[in-house]
Amino acid sequence: MRSLRTGLSLAALFTGAVMLFAAPAAHAADTPLRDLAAAKGKVIGTAVTGSKLTGTYGDIAGSQFSSLTPGNAMKWETVEPTQGSFNWSEADQIVAFAQAHNQQVRGHTLVWHSQNPSWLTNGTWTSAQLSSLLQNHISTEVGRYKGEITAWDVVNEPFNEDGSYRSTLWYNGLGANYIAQALTWAHAADPAAKLYINDYNVEGVNAKSTALYNLVKSLKAAGVPIDGVGIQAHLVLGQVPATLQQNIQRFADLGVDVAITELDVRMALPADSTKLAQQKADFKSVVAACAAVTRCVNVTVWGFTDADSWVPGTFPGYGAATPYDENYAPKPAYYGIAEALGGTQSTTGCAATYSVTSQWNTGFTGQVTIACSGTALSSWRASWTYGAGQQLTQAWNATCTQSGTAVTCTNATYNGTVPDGGSVSFGFNASWTGSNPVPVVTLG
Ligand code: 9MR
């Protein structure tokens, strides 16, 4: 039987399990996310639309977040819609707002296959011309904001899902070396800015994230200025990869920073309380994974309100992907972020947190921690549903049964008591194939 102490330290190692109620008494709703993040040495950000930065939208963006990313304002089609004619108005506005609110700015993005102006994409260019266009673009934009941008997503989405290079204007015209060149030009224009490569579907350990890993490793070895990896994290409800923290850690171990750059968790509409509870668990586990790795410096949500999200327009029937609803009310996901950053629940009660502490080809070890605040338990039962075919094989510090997809665990004879302000954990082994999403645990 594994001791409780060992289980807890493994949880901290692998997945960013969150201990609820660990911080001194404070109400999550009362402590802005940016203050919770700062206390953990982290930055919490949001993508924003410049024209909306007034009223409630502006109040929340300014008070809750310590970093802003322009959602579209710094993309090539926005800043240079006609060759040689520049429009910096929205980008300038966002940078000014950030400075007025003591916020960082993540510049997004310099080299991408999408949202380029038609004069560029429809033109016929020799590779020398293309190279000089790209160099000018990077020097002009990075130079304009020199000293004002904490980090640039220099190269966006360079890979296919299988880890091969995406066929783009840049790759086809300049070869894979466009990435090293872009980083080098950006560094020359603002030596203080942290330079990132940013991509999606690189959250877990997979072919695409491994290609990114290998690229960063080779860039570092060649002395190319690469400072960070951006993991976008456009996720689907209940599908946070179990290897997220492990993946963040392997990038950190290469000697680069990591940022979660575009977090959202979409669900089939309409939202309901079950889906919102799962979404809370998903936001919480992503933020906790970042919080657990020293070099994971920033978690940015891709729009903080459902009123300002790309999801419904791109995935018909899906939405509700952000931490605030369309009327700017915080959703359970907001409290998931707060809890992962050490905020305490504002309500009295007991809660269970599920985490995968290690995972291998066919199996994994998990842990559930039950914590109480303002109340206590003399016995407990924790239940959840395995929606992806996981099968429990063994449990310790609890009696667990699985019937179909339904798992129920009750306390052992010696750990039914969860004191006010205390917690109890139990562990288990299970098998999995395909995916291993984190379920929501119900106490009762
Ligand atoms: O949020 C952006 C949305 O307003 C644009 O219409 C869209 C166009 O592709 O781009 C969105 O942001 C993307 C980001 O720049 C890069 N990663 C994927 C994001 C969602 O599409």
Side-chain angles (χ1 to χ4, degrees):
M1 187 183 294
R2 172 184 286 155
S3 75
L4 185 60
R5 176 178 291 273
T6 309
L8 285 171
S9 64
L10 272 177
L13 200 73
F14 283 96
T15 62
V18 182
M19 291 300 295
L20 291 173
F21 316 120
H27 298 294
D30 296 341
T31 309
L33 297 180
R34 62 184 290 172
D35 295 348
L36 294 172
K40 288 204 168 278
K42 306 293 177 187
V43 172
I44 180 94
T46 180
V48 290
T49 301
S51 60
K52 298 184 178 176
L53 283 170
T54 59
T56 308
Y57 183 102
D59 289 346
I60 295 172
S63 62
Q64 292 286 336
F65 298 95
S66 42
S67 173
L68 300 184
T69 303
N72 291 300
M74 290 186 171
K75 291 171 180 173
W76 200 328
E77 73 172 5
T78 307
V79 301
E80 196 183 7
T82 306
Q83 189 170 13
S85 136
F86 294 90
N87 180 357
W88 305 105
S89 55
E90 190 190 351
D92 285 355
Q93 181 200 352
I94 292 169
V95 171
F97 183 97
Q99 289 171 352
H101 292 83
N102 193 23
Q103 294 169 309
Q104 296 185 0
V105 179
R106 290 189 61 86
H108 176 85
T109 178
L110 298 167
V111 192
W112 195 21
H113 61 274
S114 186
Q115 291 185 279
N116 288 314
S118 53
W119 64 261
L120 176 65
T121 52
N122 293 342
T124 304
W125 315 104
T126 65
S127 70
Q129 287 171 323
L130 205 53
S131 178
S132 124
L133 281 166
L134 185 58
Q135 180 173 11
N136 283 336
H137 170 67
I138 291 173
S139 310
T140 303
E141 182 154 2
V142 176
R144 178 181 179 86
Y145 296 107
K146 184 179 179 185
E148 301 184 299
I149 302 288
T150 303
W152 274 105
D153 290 332
V154 176
V155 179
N156 200 34
E157 302 172 1
F159 288 109
N160 294 315
E161 299 307 292
D162 66 0
S164 58
Y165 283 109
R166 188 192 286 268
S167 163
T168 69
L169 175 66
W170 310 114
Y171 180 76
N172 297 339
L174 302 172
N177 197 42
Y178 83 90
I179 296 173
Q181 286 187 307
L183 289 160
T184 304
W185 292 327
H187 183 67
D190 186 353
K194 301 288 186 194
L195 305 182
Y196 279 64
I197 301 173
N198 188 50
D199 216 326
Y200 63 90
N201 289 350
V202 293
E203 290 73 36
V205 174
N206 58 35
K208 193 174 184 178
S209 66
T210 299
L212 179 56
Y213 177 88
N214 289 332
L215 171 63
V216 170
K217 192 174 179 180
S218 69
L219 291 170
K220 291 281 285 182
V224 174
I226 173 73
D227 301 298
V229 166
I231 294 174
Q232 293 186 6
H234 292 294
L235 299 173
V236 175
L237 191 71
Q239 294 184 20
V240 178
T243 51
L244 173 61
Q245 187 180 327
Q246 183 185 326
N247 191 42
I248 294 172
Q249 186 68 57
R250 73 169 171 158
F251 282 110
D253 291 345
L254 285 179
V256 293
D257 291 339
V258 178
I260 306 293
T261 51
E262 306 184 14
L263 175 60
D264 52 25
V265 178
R266 61 185 178 267
M267 62 182 72
L269 297 172
D272 60 30
S273 58
T274 305
K275 293 177 191 173
L276 293 172
Q278 178 67 61
Q279 188 184 46
K280 174 183 179 180
D282 293 343
F283 269 88
K284 186 171 167 179
S285 65
V286 171
V287 176
C290 180
V293 178
T294 307
R295 288 203 76 146
C296 188
V297 296
N298 179 313
V299 178
T300 287
V301 296
W302 203 244
F304 64 85
T305 159
D306 293 339
D308 187 38
S309 168
W310 69 297
V311 169
T314 304
F315 301 98
Y318 282 77
T322 79
Y324 286 80
D325 72 14
E326 296 191 354
N327 301 312
Y328 303 125
K331 293 158 58 182
Y334 170 90
Y335 296 99
I337 297 172
E339 287 168 18
L341 293 172
T344 53
Q345 285 201 329
S346 51
T347 51
T348 289
C350 300
T353 303
Y354 176 109
S355 65
V356 174
T357 56
S358 69
Q359 179 174 298
W360 56 97
N361 291 349
T362 55
F364 67 100
T365 299
Q367 178 178 275
V368 170
T369 298
I370 299 166
C372 293
S373 174
T375 184
L377 294 173
S378 56
S379 67
W380 45 262
R381 186 174 49 134
S383 49
W384 64 87
T385 302
Y386 273 145
Q390 299 100 322
Q391 180 65 49
L392 218 64
T393 53
Q394 185 190 12
W396 51 95
N397 295 335
T399 303
C400 295
T401 57
Q402 179 167 354
S403 168
T405 60
V407 177
T408 303
C409 298
T410 53
N411 59 272
T413 51
Y414 50 86
N415 66 358
T417 300
V418 185
D420 181 1
S423 67
V424 164
S425 295
F426 65 91
F428 52 88
N429 285 332
S431 61
W432 70 288
T433 52
S435 69
N436 187 17
V438 172
V440 176
V441 180
T442 306
L443 271 183

